[in-house]
Amino acid sequence: MNPYGITLTLVVFYIFSELHRRKKAVYTNPVLLSIVAISLLLKLGGFSYGSYMESAVFLKFLLGPAVVSLAVPVYKNTGLIARYSREIAAGIIVGGTTAMLTAYWIAKLLGASGTVLRSIAPKSVTTAIAIGISTKIGGIPALTAVLVITTGLLGNAFAPELLNLFRVRDRIARGLATGVSSHGLGTARIIIEDELAGAVSGLGMALNGVFTALVLPYLIEVL
């Protein structure tokens, strides 16, 4: 197997991570810049996305253990999370519902078709769950996947800054808002800054995925 995909991904991400370490700013976000740079390099080099993914399949495999590892900070903070379980449950219900409805209604106001509306509604949960929901409710899974990744990228790039702007200082609230709104990519950003917020973000991401999968197929029928 040609390892160019792994090499390219690691080198590009390392370069932009170093840039972000030296110049911490929204526009130096390493995830966003890496995606743009790799896309351009593949296009300019004439490489297909399929061959790139085939050569970087090991990195894709590591996503599973990375997600499972989010259970470690959750376990370490079990007592504190249990103490705020009612607030977390309320946050998931309110946040998850708001994420579905705002995406749906904004797209509807902009004149989106019914199929697009059904594709955009699950955009705040992790990709695997969102694709399953989109398929079930009559959306376009490929479009849903793009919208999910875009939502995650925005959370990764801007979530902590927006929380600071609105003076959200409670660590559990910061984690819950990030996980419910921008799933794994948002969690990957905030866990670097605060382990407790990252633990709550990972928990919120998982529970919001279950909540959205259970509620959205029925909610979409009454919208």
Side-chain angles (χ1 to χ4, degrees):
M1 180 183 68
N2 189 331
Y4 87 88
I6 296 177
T7 306
L8 177 64
T9 304
L10 294 179
V11 169
V12 170
F13 186 73
Y14 175 77
I15 291 172
F16 287 122
S17 294
E18 280 297 301
L19 175 64
H20 186 66
R21 187 177 63 81
R22 298 177 184 181
K23 176 80 175 174
K24 288 193 177 297
V26 171
Y27 58 83
T28 62
N29 182 277
V31 176
L32 182 60
L33 291 179
S34 295
I35 291 175
V36 173
I38 291 173
S39 298
L40 289 174
L41 289 171
L42 292 179
K43 183 70 175 178
L44 294 173
F47 297 99
S48 70
Y49 177 73
S51 68
Y52 165 72
M53 280 305 298
E54 185 179 348
S55 63
V57 69
F58 182 67
L59 293 178
K60 184 180 178 182
F61 165 77
L62 292 178
L63 279 176
V67 172
V68 173
S69 70
L70 291 175
V72 176
V74 173
Y75 176 76
K76 290 169 66 177
N77 294 282
T78 299
L80 192 56
I81 290 173
R83 195 185 314 161
Y84 288 93
S85 57
R86 284 185 295 183
E87 289 83 354
I88 291 173
I92 289 168
I93 293 171
V94 174
T97 305
T98 302
M100 290 183 270
L101 292 178
T102 53
Y104 183 94
W105 285 113
I106 290 173
K108 189 170 185 177
L109 287 172
L110 294 174
S113 67
T115 305
V116 173
L117 294 176
R118 290 170 184 267
S119 304
I120 199 173
K123 53 95 181 149
S124 288
V125 301
T126 193
T127 308
I129 297 176
I131 288 176
I133 297 172
S134 179
T135 303
K136 183 176 178 62
I137 65 177
I140 305 171
L143 177 59
T144 300
V146 171
L147 293 168
V148 168
I149 293 170
T150 303
T151 301
L153 284 174
L154 291 173
N156 187 282
F158 302 113
E161 285 74 16
L162 283 174
L163 292 169
N164 293 337
L165 180 65
F166 289 100
R167 299 182 180 181
V168 180
R169 310 211 188 281
D170 184 271
R171 298 165 70 194
I172 290 181
R174 288 174 67 88
L176 191 59
T178 304
V180 170
S181 63
S182 53
H183 52 84
L185 283 172
T187 300
R189 167 77 188 281
I190 202 161
I191 200 170
I192 296 173
E193 302 181 6
D194 184 338
E195 184 182 88
L196 174 59
V200 177
S201 182
L203 181 64
M205 172 188 73
L207 294 179
N208 186 45
V210 175
F211 173 73
T212 303
L214 291 174
V215 170
L216 186 54
Y218 299 100
L219 181 63
I220 203 78
E221 295 301 323
V222 298
L223 290 175

